[in-house]
Amino acid sequence: MRSQLFLVTTLLVGALSVGGCGNLPFLSQGNAQPTASPAASSGNAATPAPPTSAAEQPTQAPENTSAPTMPAIPLPAGGTPSAPPIGGAPTIPIPQSQANLAQLESYRMTVVSKMSGKTTDGKTIDSQTTYTQAMHRPSKTGYTLVVEDKPGAPSTRSELYSVGDMLYIYQRQDGKEICQPGMMAGMGDMLRGIADAMTAPVQTGTAQLVNSGETVNGVLTDRYTLDQETINQFGATVEKADLWVARDGGYLVKYDLTIKVTSNTAGWAEMLGGGAQVSEGTIVYNWTLEDINKTTITLPSVCNEQTVGVDLPLPQGTVVDIAMPNTTMGKVNTSIDSVLSFFKTEYPKLGYELTYEYGDAQNGYILEFKKGSDQVMVQFSPMPDGSVQITLSRS
């Protein structure tokens, strides 16, 4: 059973580790708006190739096309214009990275964070983290990829797929594909919440209009730059802080930030050096939204081949919280004695022999059943809320 509990922990940590791998602590997360839950599935799964290859290499946004005129400036949804400063450009509240994305059927978001510089002892700093989040709402499918590259260390990948509440941790090792599926209530919202935290790219504040009518990634946008008051929040020298906001929809399409770091830049130098003293350095952050309403996601075939959970009955009314290979966990609002009676009565009817029993009503029970080569362990115990927690595992 210890190996099964380790499997449960691995699944949860695997999902949450995505937030740790790609998190960019130097950026304020502001008030990122969580993406709304997708509409019900149409039943037609998307089939073209997943966006993995594009995520492995930083996506280059197409050249911006400037319009010759300056029409009236539309605002991001919910935005309110500030009074333009005398002799200055109009300003808008900065849209956060997840703001207004719920209106899109699908998209692919790519965030590239690059750190370079020198330590005081002459060592080179050169690392890059690429985070990709793809979303296809009609099929309730999501894709998350985090790739980290550091000098002297192998590149690391965290790759996840989600279909509704199903989570698939996907790996390629030694030429083989490995897929660990699991089901958790609210998994889709959980992954979107991680994405919200990881991809908020701007401080709260305002931005000034630079140019109106630039086409970026096929979207008509207006280009802004963070105003001086907002830039001052960084506490460092900001060389570039431009963002492109969709003319229709008010969502962020592109954001470029470059910050220069010196040994005297509090906070930034420590982060850049990872504990080492920094003499100088640069942090470059590029955020792009692409394939808008064109993104499709394909679940690897190896994931469809996996069996999730244990296909054996549970007491009536049991709500399954987590299901993964050969393991099912859930709760039922009934007495522990009735749960014990259920397993000892119903499983022998299915041909399973009770081979081991241990426990009591106060602390819970462990039951082991065997049917030929099939061995099943049942663990259940009372919870403070009066329910009974059940774990069913097959070995």
Side-chain angles (χ1 to χ4, degrees), residues 188-252:
D189 290 336
M190 174 182 171
L191 290 180
R192 285 187 286 276
I194 293 173
D196 291 347
M198 291 176 62
T199 61
V202 294
Q203 302 277 1
T204 56
T206 55
Q208 293 179 317
L209 178 69
V210 174
N211 192 31
S212 179
E214 297 187 6
T215 299
V216 178
N217 299 340
V219 179
L220 181 63
T221 70
D222 294 319
R223 177 160 61 100
Y224 298 85
T225 189
L226 302 187
D227 63 16
Q228 192 58 51
E229 183 177 351
T230 302
I231 285 176
N232 290 342
Q233 296 181 46
F234 287 90
T237 301
V238 178
E239 291 193 337
K240 184 177 184 180
D242 292 335
L243 54 149
W244 288 258
V245 180
R247 176 73 64 83
D248 181 14
Y251 51 86
L252 194 63

Side-chain angles (χ1 to χ4, degrees), residues 37-71:
S37 300
S41 172
S42 63
N44 297 322
T47 55
T52 305
S53 59
E56 292 174 359
Q57 300 178 358
T59 304
Q60 300 297 323
E63 295 183 359
N64 301 330
T65 303
S66 301
T69 59
M70 295 280 288

